[in-house]
Amino acid sequence: MKKINLLLGLIFLAGLQSCTKDMDVVSEDPRVLSPDVLYSTPGGYKQGLAGVYGNLSLTGTGDAGSSFLQGIDAGTSQFGRCLWYLQDLTTDEVIWSYENDEGTKELNRNIWTASNPILLGMFSRTMAEVAIANEFLRQSTPEKLSARGITNPTDVANIQDYRNEVRVLRSYAYYNLMDLFGKAPFITENDPLNFAGPEYNRQQLFDFIESELTTVIPNLKAPRTNEYGRLDQAVARMILAKIYLNAEVYTGTAKYNECVTQCNAIIAGGYTLNSNYLNNFKADNHTSSEMIFTLQSDGVATQNYGPTTVMVNGQVGSLEGNGSSFGVGGWGGALRLRKQFVQKFDGSQFDNDVRKTIISGARSIEITDVANRDQGYILAKYSNISSTGVAGPSTTFVNTDFPLFRLADVYLMYAECSLRGASTATSTQALTYVNALRERANNGSTAANISASDLTLNFILDERARELHWESHRRQDLIRFGRYTGGSYNWAWKGNGVNGIAISNNLKVYPIPSGSLSANPNLTQNQGY
């Protein structure tokens, strides 16, 4: 089936009390179940599992505006939306027009502070994921199962599978905290509720994530064998590949060979490039052979203001009014492209590149006034219409899943590691992978293929933008390549300058939100904030 039942799981999730310590988790929903009631049957454990997954897509048990994080708005705490804001909106890829929306102006212009509500939303939502995962693990021990009379071998084995998946989801949460904030309170299922965990730095978080995933991978389902929406070995390996790719940033020690090992294992898992690049971003992208893990979106069953709803509606132009082309009403020019991203597609080699969905029309490439929605080019990458031309059932909430991890990224990671000296990668294979993406982008033509001499680190950084734009990778990539802070590479409105100015090195990590610092005395603020 396409979607696991996220809503039922959230009925349990909303019943946790104060699980993030900094923000109470509350619900007045009459369907909220106590752990003893929910976990009294094997089916209840499946619902609990859905809650751990569901926290990555939904914000509460009510409508799209509901949030179980008390005191935090749903619009500033939806996991995928916050992730996209922090990884892409703060870079050269995109700008948000409506700067009166909470927190967006500071992200647009790289002038955020610890009081930014989107930072609080991301930190709290991700720590909620840790807390929900921990509670599931507490409730699913062999002792708990036995005490509840759950002894059927098949049921016990299924619940053990759930436990393994939850450990990966918890690791994924800590991976994002490590990447974005550089530290986090460390809490496991062995700690009680409301425990103010000790502060773990990047090295400590890295070590935990690596150890946890390495331990659990043999016990996960093989790639592409789990039901859609649930993770498998490839997802765990993808997180490992990401921490190894960025290990030099996180810990000061390069691990490119280790990254290649994970990339090879993922590629061997049976994933293939979708022959049509844009089908990865349509309403039926759950059918794509390229998807490794997604954030689920359903225009009826799981309505939320997540990243794909934001992007599909936001890319509709103020001048063009082209929402019908994407199966939505649109938000009047909420999103536009910064000039430096547009220029990544300059040159005749990109004339037939299907990844170039840039619409210029009568628009100026320059954005001299962020509030002027008619300035700046727009994008047409995401759609609420399926690959067969069927529009989603809602013109506001899209059916398009958000591609957290897909095979194209693995190809580019392999190529980058090869260029960075990984002895386990070959330059020949790296070139093959890159040209596979180029050929796919040109409908099978080799006209835009590159030669070995073209394959450089600068090329990889730009190719990652061309292939993976608006998929929550750009900030991380720019930091890894030394182009995010400082002034060696500027983009429109970087540092609050119309043409971009240098920004300080402390902005490589976000500040710990003020509310989270107040709630947990073990946390300390990042340097420079």
Side-chain angles (χ1 to χ4, degrees), residues 166-320:
V166 166
R167 291 173 68 180
V168 176
L169 291 171
R170 182 176 61 182
S171 295
Y172 176 66
Y174 273 126
Y175 156 69
N176 282 288
L177 290 164
M178 175 181 66
D179 180 72
L180 295 168
F181 298 97
K183 59 178 65 172
F186 185 71
I187 308 169
T188 73
E189 71 274 22
N190 298 318
D191 299 312
L193 289 174
N194 299 322
F195 175 70
E199 178 179 281
Y200 265 34
N201 61 28
R202 269 183 163 169
Q203 182 69 64
Q204 291 169 305
L205 291 172
F206 185 100
D207 291 343
F208 170 76
I209 296 164
E210 181 182 34
S211 174
E212 187 79 342
L213 294 178
T214 302
T215 299
V216 79
I217 280 174
N219 302 315
L220 294 169
K221 290 185 181 297
R224 300 176 58 80
T225 63
N226 212 344
E227 65 180 313
Y228 182 81
R230 288 173 57 188
L231 62 85
D232 54 27
Q233 289 178 347
V235 176
R237 292 190 183 281
M238 194 73 181
I239 301 169
L240 279 176
K242 287 292 183 182
I243 71 168
Y244 291 145
L245 182 68
N246 295 282
E248 202 161 8
V249 172
Y250 298 151
T251 70
T253 302
K255 289 186 177 290
Y256 299 115
N257 281 331
E258 291 86 343
C259 181
V260 170
T261 297
Q262 298 305 320
C263 289
N264 285 335
I266 296 166
I267 293 167
Y271 299 93
T272 57
L273 293 181
N274 192 311
S275 60
N276 186 324
Y277 172 78
L278 291 177
N279 283 351
N280 289 311
F281 315 103
K282 293 182 178 178
D284 58 349
N285 61 347
H286 63 284
T287 64
S288 175
S289 60
E290 189 170 339
M291 294 302 179
I292 296 171
F293 193 52
T294 66
L295 298 180
Q296 294 185 52
S297 182
D298 188 295
V300 175
T302 58
Q303 293 185 349
N304 65 86
Y305 291 104
T308 49
T309 286
V310 169
M311 290 185 291
V312 177
N313 283 282
Q315 70 186 12
V316 174
S318 57
L319 296 174
E320 295 77 6

Side-chain angles (χ1 to χ4, degrees), residues 37-229:
V37 173
L38 177 67
Y39 291 126
S40 61
T41 67
Y45 280 93
K46 183 69 175 289
Q47 292 182 32
L49 173 70
V52 191
Y53 282 100
N55 183 56
L56 299 178
S57 294
L58 304 179
T59 54
T61 57
D63 60 20
S66 69
S67 175
F68 65 75
L69 294 176
Q70 188 176 40
I72 301 182
D73 181 77
T76 59
S77 67
Q78 201 277 347
F79 175 81
R81 180 174 183 170
C82 288
L83 179 68
W84 186 78
Y85 277 161
L86 299 185
Q87 295 286 14
D88 285 348
L89 197 60
T90 61
T91 75
D92 59 351
E93 288 192 348
V94 60
I95 202 161
W96 180 259
S97 304
Y98 302 115
E99 291 194 311
N100 287 331
D101 289 358
E102 283 190 297
T104 55
K105 180 176 182 178
E106 293 81 9
L107 298 181
N108 264 342
R109 302 171 186 240
N110 311 96
I111 54 172
W112 53 78
T113 68
S115 61
N116 186 285
I118 296 171
L119 295 179
L120 177 61
M122 184 62 178
F123 195 90
S124 298
R125 179 67 60 184
T126 311
M127 282 307 303
E129 181 73 357
V130 172
I132 298 160
N134 285 339
E135 181 63 8
F136 184 92
L137 294 173
R138 291 187 193 101
Q139 297 294 338
S140 56
T141 63
E143 294 77 15
K144 287 283 189 179
L145 297 183
S146 178
R148 289 168 176 153
I150 299 175
T151 58
N152 179 279
T154 299
D155 293 334
V156 171
N158 286 338
I159 294 170
Q160 183 59 48
D161 285 341
Y162 305 162
R163 285 178 60 85
N164 293 330
E165 292 174 40
V166 166
R167 291 173 68 180
V168 176
L169 291 171
R170 182 176 61 182
S171 295
Y172 176 66
Y174 273 126
Y175 156 69
N176 282 288
L177 290 164
M178 175 181 66
D179 180 72
L180 295 168
F181 298 97
K183 59 178 65 172
F186 185 71
I187 308 169
T188 73
E189 71 274 22
N190 298 318
D191 299 312
L193 289 174
N194 299 322
F195 175 70
E199 178 179 281
Y200 265 34
N201 61 28
R202 269 183 163 169
Q203 182 69 64
Q204 291 169 305
L205 291 172
F206 185 100
D207 291 343
F208 170 76
I209 296 164
E210 181 182 34
S211 174
E212 187 79 342
L213 294 178
T214 302
T215 299
V216 79
I217 280 174
N219 302 315
L220 294 169
K221 290 185 181 297
R224 300 176 58 80
T225 63
N226 212 344
E227 65 180 313
Y228 182 81

Side-chain angles (χ1 to χ4, degrees), residues 114 313 377 384:
N313 283 282
Y377 295 173
N384 188 35

